[in-house]
Amino acid sequence: MTSRYRTRPQVHFEAFRILEQRRVEAGNAIWAILAGSRMASNTLNLTEGSTRTLAEIFPTVEHIDRFNLRSDTARELLAQAEAELCTMGMSYAIALHEDFVKTCLSWLLPLGLVTRSQVREAKTFNIHEKIETASGVSMDIDSLQLFHLTRLMRNCHIHAGGQGSRELERHGNGLTSRQVAVWESLTKEPFTPIRQGAYVAVGVGGLIATLAIGKRLSYDVNLCLQSAIPRDKWADMAAAEYFSLGAKKPSHPKALRSVRGYARGRYDALSLTDRELTDAIDRIMGQSAI
């Protein structure tokens, strides 16, 4: 990735923190499922030689009747399940990231930087480019191109039964040596463009890359928002977040001190001044007086 990655801090405003938490929870859920399948497979090694079914061995496990096979058969299936779980995990991660970016794009609506139709028409293939255009900030080109690689891999599984498309082959062939190196550093596997008609294998490496690329692009999305949203709106956001907690009212004599403390660690990337925060507090008081 370019050197700017993680060189500028993010703005951790409430809505962004919620979206980031959803992304983290999704990643944890994906790894929980993968680890769970491996744990189950290893546990069934203890039943080697048994002819009993899973429901007989584990009668208290919920839903076991839906997977009521002999332990040796179940172990084989669980061992093979990783590839399918990684493919499903990739689709889940990309869908969640698309929702994340689309939500951020919608925050630019009140500023007149995008229209409702532009937000409505934003899809996985153009969502990042739309927020780039609206904010005037370019995202990391390596991350963006590798995201499109994962998107096209996902599409092959959704629309073509896992067979590679001409578009995926062309995109893979068009990656720069730097982008290939980044992909290989994430997957820990050599990169070979997937030919049209060949099976698109995701695997653990591809899933790791998908999650990492989404995380890096979410950082760039934050930079786009920092540039696009005016400073007075950020100050209003910080003040509104603090007062929503109910600890103090805007009219409190120490309101500025409290808002400043709340913004510390959350809005440090913007270096909001006392004047800006005071004006935001005044605007909130003015609105409550109407």
Side-chain angles (χ1 to χ4, degrees):
M1 302 296 164
T2 58
S3 59
R4 79 171 185 172
Y5 179 64
R6 294 295 181 194
T7 58
R8 286 180 55 189
Q10 293 178 300
V11 181
H12 296 280
F13 57 101
E14 184 180 26
F16 194 81
R17 294 197 302 271
I18 292 172
L19 288 171
E20 280 284 270
Q21 185 60 34
R22 287 180 60 202
R23 184 183 57 75
V24 170
E25 290 172 352
N28 288 340
I30 290 169
W31 292 121
I33 293 170
L34 280 168
S37 70
R38 281 298 182 93
M39 290 169 62
S41 180
N42 288 340
T43 299
L44 288 178
N45 285 331
L46 302 175
T47 68
E48 187 172 0
S50 173
T51 59
R52 301 174 67 187
T53 65
L54 295 184
E56 293 175 295
I57 301 172
F58 307 104
T60 61
V61 175
E62 191 175 1
H63 307 308
I64 198 66
D65 288 338
R66 300 180 185 276
F67 193 58
N68 192 20
L69 306 172
R70 276 182 23 170
S71 63
D72 55 347
T73 303
R75 188 170 63 248
E76 291 175 6
L77 288 173
L78 285 167
Q80 298 168 6
E82 185 174 272
E84 294 298 329
L85 290 173
C86 288
T87 300
M88 289 187 285
M90 170 183 271
S91 295
Y92 181 39
I94 291 175
L96 188 71
H97 180 72
E98 178 187 353
D99 180 65
F100 171 87
V101 183
K102 192 167 185 176
T103 300
C104 292
L105 183 67
S106 70
W107 291 336
L108 304 183
L109 261 173
L111 303 175
L113 297 176
V114 291
T115 64
R116 292 191 180 279
S117 63
Q118 288 174 325
V119 174
R120 187 169 55 251
E121 294 164 2
K123 305 296 180 185
T124 317
F125 76 93
N126 65 6
I127 186 76
H128 298 95
E129 289 77 6
K130 283 183 177 291
I131 204 167
E132 279 184 317
T133 300
S135 65
V137 175
S138 296
M139 296 190 182
D140 185 284
I141 187 62
D142 297 337
S143 297
L144 198 52
Q145 290 305 308
L146 292 178
F147 172 80
H148 287 307
L149 178 69
T150 64
R151 173 182 64 82
L152 292 169
M153 292 172 67
R154 185 277 312 265
N155 288 353
C156 289
H157 281 280
I158 292 177
H159 304 299
Q163 288 192 331
S165 64
R166 185 171 64 176
E167 189 177 6
L168 174 60
E169 181 178 353
R170 183 168 58 247
H171 189 82
N173 284 324
L175 295 179
T176 66
S177 59
R178 178 179 176 80
Q179 290 158 6
V180 168
V182 172
W183 178 264
E184 291 180 340
S185 72
L186 293 173
T187 63
K188 308 303 180 186
E189 299 169 352
F191 174 78
T192 302
I194 301 170
R195 294 183 179 276
Q196 182 179 2
Y199 182 73
V200 180
V202 176
V204 173
L207 178 57
I208 290 173
T210 301
L211 292 168
I213 292 162
K215 181 177 180 179
R216 293 174 180 190
L217 284 174
S218 72
Y219 168 79
D220 272 2
V221 168
N222 194 285
L223 295 184
C224 289
L225 294 178
Q226 288 183 43
S227 177
I229 298 176
R231 292 183 62 83
D232 61 333
K233 299 299 182 183
W234 286 118
D236 289 348
M237 200 180 301
E241 280 182 26
Y242 172 75
F243 292 121
S244 70
L245 301 176
K248 287 186 176 70
K249 293 184 178 180
S251 57
H252 193 282
K254 293 186 178 180
L256 172 60
R257 178 180 177 181
S258 297
V259 172
R260 186 197 302 130
Y262 178 82
R264 188 177 302 119
R266 297 178 176 89
Y267 290 82
D268 286 349
L270 300 169
S271 300
L272 293 171
T273 66
D274 283 358
R275 181 70 266 167
E276 289 171 321
L277 294 175
T278 298
D279 290 344
I281 295 169
D282 290 342
R283 284 191 290 272
I284 290 176
M285 287 195 295
Q287 292 171 358
S288 62
I290 297 177

